[in-house]
Amino acid sequence: MYQLTNVTKKYDQGKRSVTALQDVTVSIPDGQMVAIQGPTGGGKSTLLQMLGALDRPSSGSVLLETEHLGSSNLSSLGDSQLGRIRATEIGFVFQGFNLIPTLTAQENVETALAPLGGTNAARRERSAAALEAVGLGDRLGHLPAELSGGQQQRVAIARALVKDPTVLLADEPTGNLDEETRDEIMDLLEGLWRAQGLTLIVVTHDSAVARRAQRRLHIKAGRLTELA
Amino acid sequence: MFYTYLRRELAGRRKQTAIVAIGMALAIALVIIVNSVSSGVQLAQASVLESVYGVGTDITVSQAPAAAATPGTGNGAPQRFDFGSADGAAADGTTTISRSRLTAERGTETFASTGLDSVRAVPNVSAAAATLLLSNSTFSGALPTRSQGATRPSTGQGAPSGQSAETPPTGGPDGAGGSSFSVDSFTVLGLNPADAAVGPLSAVTLTAGRSLASTDAGANVAVLDASYATTASLAVGGTVVIAGTDFSIVGLVSAATADSATAANVYIPLDVAQSLAALPGQVSNIYVQAASSTDINQVQADIRTALPAATVKTQADLASSVSGSLASASSLVSNLGLWLSLIVLAAAFLIAILFTISGVTRRTREFGTLKAIGWSNGRIVRQVGGESLVQGLIGGVVGIAVGLAGILVINIIAPTLTAGASTAVQAVGRGAGAAGGAGGAGGAGFGPGGGGFGAATQAATQSNIVLTAPVTVSVILIAVGLAVLGGLLAGVIGGWRASRLRPAEALRSIA
């Protein structure tokens, strides 16, 4: 579970300081599906970076407690320790898919397993299974450019889930997709969330996506509020 | 994953890979060619030097000519040939005169042969031999017999004398009171046959007869340079006159390199040379062989200590004495070639580094994503470094192939260079000129003051050397090393930039 306490994040932009998060305090239990909404520049992505161990707050604490890890204060860990947590506990899905263009679908999924060690054969087997789970068992050798947007996002979801993370963070996962594909991707994510017992946190502008979540948070000018 | 990603990146970004590899290949090819030609030039220089100084000669010892105590004397002074009024043989109104002088070669200085003992006493000297370089000059000619008349005073310039104003001049080689003179010069090298393992005779090839032997000490025997023998119409079994003394020709030698000359025209035993030149116990050069190549500099320093007045030169010093187009090639390789190689190499390295940095910048999202999913900085640096290293190695392989092809072309063309060693064999042919009457008692004095009284025999010192560009393992290793270095340099710098990317900023920058 996550426990954020008085998290503030400030960025220096030239001579002025911009506050992206202001005294954010929130608790997210294990296995919950949470949607974070808010206007552009409100602090959604910054909050997601705090949750994803990609950045540290200027003040406050971000606690992550998992079965494998125990309790970790992400605000006080070094780069290598944060990297290790990202490698084992957190999966990411990005709006732009962020696949490596020169690698095939299967090889892209394997990149998430590279930091965990293991044999090439084991990695290939797990990546193939992950792609099978997202319905791309017949596209293992395709390059991203040979796949549709929806298929590329499926590959990205497979890459996020292949390592069996505790948390799945999705930043506008359907932002680049049409409505039909959006629903397919959300159905897939929701299905995997239910099946694997993940904590799923989705940042979205799309109310249709947000309505699927158990819990909706709204962030504006760096301040987080709970929506009914 | 590392190799898969590496292979996919290099194959997927062919243009960048090709540009970096081509840049590196050109630089490495140039380095190989310049290095190889440089080796070829050094071999050619060594060949020229060996023909003059001998095989295995690491160091030569000589002595710089000292300023003459009296102007007009010493080894640098013009030679003089003095004749008395009774000299020469008169017949039919013509007096024939001839005189030979055997003196130390101009520009050289003799020193006591005890220097050889001092050199041999230096540690790590494996062999040493002393020589005495001499010049034999023969002045000969014909002039009207002085008894033909005495109405006009002698001019002392070889002009007809004794002709009355009323009587047409007679006598002399043309029968009309004229004169004719010639000067013949050749170099003579005195050496100890027992020490021939090092020094000038160690590099020559015996083409006829036999070489000098230990038993020849004190004997009037000579070995001739084959080219000189041909020019002077001499052969084994014949006789060569040195300082008025007949020497039996026992052998002919030629330089190991075609068309080049040996160190001297005539070789005779050292003791005989010293005696004839009235230079007892004197030598002009000592040739030294060091125990190993690593000892050369120390031996040089020790000899300088033992013989403070001596000029002690190594093969590297002697290389500067090689002249001709070979010297130009050497200069070209060592200056233009070296700098061109360095500039192209630096440009290739810069291209590789800039392309790698550009690639890292272009792949910001890629590396940000990889960091987000848990890739460590080390793993990303290894990936970027590996890609650059392979690009460098591809360039290295292509560069080696292009370099070898370039060397093959050079060896097929086989350019011929001319070379000469300017210190050992000096051109001794000089025209004899009138130097003014100073003979006293009506005699005439002649010296090489200019003019052209017949052609003097000149020693050929120019050599034609075919330039070859050898390929050595070290050249290939240098090329591979440079390829690895260039790749690593680009990889380290590019990897360092990639490792500095913070995942949040990398992802934010492309959002």
Side-chain angles (χ1 to χ4, degrees):
Chain A
M1 64 170 285
Y2 278 108
Q3 179 61 56
L4 279 69
T5 308
N6 298 325
V7 171
T8 296
K9 180 65 182 179
K10 294 180 178 177
Y11 295 108
D12 289 328
Q13 288 187 341
K15 289 182 178 176
R16 71 190 184 98
S17 178
V18 175
T19 302
L21 294 178
Q22 182 73 52
D23 285 328
V24 173
T25 298
V26 66
S27 178
I28 302 173
D30 287 342
Q32 195 168 54
M33 180 176 175
V34 180
I36 302 174
Q37 289 183 280
T40 300
K44 299 189 301 295
S45 294
T46 302
L47 178 59
L48 202 66
Q49 286 166 3
M50 299 299 147
L51 296 170
L54 293 171
D55 208 350
R56 298 183 193 84
S58 303
S59 63
S61 67
V62 180
L63 290 177
L64 173 62
E65 189 177 329
T66 68
E67 188 180 331
H68 313 111
L69 203 66
S71 181
S72 301
N73 185 353
L74 304 184
S75 54
S76 61
L77 295 180
D79 285 348
S80 61
Q81 290 166 305
L82 291 179
R84 190 68 194 163
I85 288 172
R86 292 196 299 269
T88 56
E89 304 295 331
I90 303 170
F92 287 93
V93 175
F94 305 97
Q95 180 179 357
F97 321 136
N98 290 18
L99 299 178
I100 295 169
T102 53
L103 297 180
T104 64
Q106 186 173 20
E107 289 160 355
N108 263 288
V109 175
E110 280 187 52
T111 58
L113 297 174
L116 305 180
T119 63
N120 289 337
R123 283 201 297 269
R124 274 196 295 274
E125 190 179 332
R126 286 180 68 179
S127 57
L131 284 168
E132 187 74 40
V134 298
L136 291 176
D138 59 343
R139 297 285 191 273
L140 302 184
H142 284 60
L143 292 172
E146 296 167 343
L147 301 172
S148 68
Q151 287 173 324
Q152 288 186 51
Q153 194 62 298
R154 284 169 183 268
V155 174
I157 292 169
R159 181 179 62 187
L161 297 178
V162 69
K163 58 192 176 189
D164 296 327
T166 308
V167 180
L168 179 60
L169 302 177
D171 188 2
E172 301 280 7
T174 59
N176 284 358
L177 305 175
D178 59 47
E179 282 188 15
E180 187 179 344
T181 311
R182 175 197 67 187
D183 292 340
E184 283 177 17
I185 292 297
M186 284 314 298
D187 287 345
L188 176 65
L189 280 175
E190 204 173 331
L192 291 168
W193 163 64
R194 289 185 192 285
Q196 297 186 18
L198 297 164
T199 300
L200 174 59
I201 300 172
V202 181
V203 167
T204 182
H205 277 106
D206 191 335
S207 295
V209 171
R211 276 196 293 273
R212 290 174 175 251
Q214 292 173 312
R215 183 180 176 194
R216 293 164 67 187
L217 302 173
H218 187 265
I219 189 165
K220 184 177 181 182
R223 294 187 181 277
L224 189 71
T225 54
E226 193 101 24
L227 294 178
Chain B
M1 189 76 243
F2 174 80
Y3 293 107
T4 303
Y5 194 8
L6 183 79
R7 196 175 62 247
R8 297 283 189 200
E9 279 301 315
L10 294 179
R13 303 179 201 274
R14 285 194 185 90
K15 193 175 175 184
Q16 176 182 327
T17 302
I19 291 173
V20 171
I22 287 170
M24 200 68 80
L26 284 175
I28 286 169
L30 199 60
V31 168
I32 289 176
I33 291 171
V34 168
N35 201 308
S36 186
V37 170
S38 178
S39 298
V41 167
Q42 285 173 5
L43 285 175
Q45 284 179 329
S47 172
V48 171
L49 291 171
E50 277 184 2
S51 69
V52 176
Y53 295 101
V55 174
T57 298
D58 299 314
I59 294 168
T60 61
V61 180
S62 60
Q63 194 156 310
T70 306
T73 63
N75 285 340
Q79 292 194 44
R80 296 187 59 80
F81 296 89
D82 298 324
F83 295 92
S85 59
D87 287 343
D92 300 330
T94 299
T95 298
T96 304
I97 57 172
S98 178
R99 179 147 299 170
S100 289
R101 284 170 55 90
L102 185 63
T103 57
E105 172 68 350
R106 291 187 73 182
T108 65
E109 184 69 37
T110 61
F111 54 96
S113 60
T114 51
L116 179 61
D117 300 326
S118 302
V119 168
R120 282 176 171 156
V122 167
N124 296 318
V125 169
S126 65
T131 62
L132 178 60
L133 184 60
L134 304 168
S135 175
N136 184 86
S137 301
T138 301
F139 182 91
S140 58
L143 68 165
T145 304
R146 293 176 60 84
S147 60
Q148 290 299 304
T151 55
R152 275 201 335 214
S154 168
T155 63
Q157 295 189 10
S161 59
Q163 301 298 321
S164 69
E166 295 77 18
T167 310
T170 59
D174 60 353
S179 302
S180 177
F181 305 95
S182 67
V183 175
D184 181 28
S185 293
F186 56 87
T187 51
V188 178
L189 190 70
L191 49 81
N192 187 348
D195 296 333
V198 62
L201 271 190
S202 64
V204 300
T205 303
L206 187 67
T207 57
R210 65 172 178 83
S211 187
L212 293 177
S214 301
T215 53
D216 289 328
N220 292 343
V221 293
V223 168
L224 272 56
D225 174 81
S227 301
Y228 172 71
T230 303
T231 306
S233 302
L234 297 170
V236 174
T239 300
V240 61
V241 180
I242 304 172
T245 303
D246 289 347
F247 280 70
S248 298
I249 302 170
V250 297
L252 301 179
V253 293
S254 63
T257 308
D259 301 327
S260 64
T262 62
N265 301 133
V266 179
Y267 300 87
I268 62 175
L270 178 61
D271 55 349
V272 177
Q274 290 170 332
S275 173
L276 276 179
L279 293 167
Q282 294 288 297
V283 295
S284 54
N285 288 90
I286 297 173
Y287 297 82
V288 184
Q289 192 175 53
S292 79
S293 60
T294 56
D295 296 327
I296 292 174
N297 289 337
Q298 186 57 49
V299 170
Q300 181 187 31
D302 291 345
I303 293 174
R304 280 180 173 150
T305 304
L307 300 172
T311 301
V312 186
K313 291 185 175 180
T314 63
Q315 283 277 8
D317 301 326
L318 296 172
S320 64
S321 69
V322 174
S323 59
S325 59
L326 176 58
S328 304
S330 174
S331 174
L332 193 69
V333 169
S334 60
N335 296 321
L336 180 63
L338 178 65
W339 284 110
L340 192 63
S341 297
L342 288 176
I343 289 169
V344 173
L345 201 59
F349 280 18
L350 193 64
I351 288 171
I353 290 168
L354 290 178
F355 266 91
T356 306
I357 290 174
S358 164
V360 168
T361 305
R362 200 169 52 248
R363 293 162 71 185
T364 296
R365 175 163 69 170
E366 188 172 314
F367 292 131
T369 303
L370 290 172
K371 285 194 171 192
I373 64 175
W375 278 44
S376 65
N377 283 339
R379 183 178 289 275
I380 289 176
V381 169
R382 279 197 298 277
Q383 196 66 46
V384 174
E387 291 172 14
S388 296
L389 184 62
V390 172
Q391 283 175 340
L393 286 174
I394 292 171
V397 170
V398 176
I400 289 172
V402 173
L404 291 178
I407 290 171
L408 183 65
V409 169
I410 290 172
N411 286 331
I412 289 172
I413 295 172
T416 301
L417 303 173
T418 59
S422 58
T423 56
V425 179
Q426 299 181 352
V428 295
R430 286 182 287 271
F446 302 91
F453 286 84
T457 304
Q458 182 168 330
T461 59
Q462 287 292 103
S463 302
N464 291 325
I465 305 286
V466 175
L467 180 66
T468 58
V471 180
T472 60
V473 175
S474 62
V475 169
I476 303 298
L477 290 178
I478 287 171
V480 173
L482 287 173
V484 170
L485 180 68
L488 281 179
L489 204 59
V492 165
I493 293 174
W496 174 75
R497 274 185 70 94
S499 71
R500 283 174 60 85
L501 289 172
R502 299 192 65 80
E505 290 170 8
L507 292 171
R508 191 160 48 236
S509 71
I510 49 85

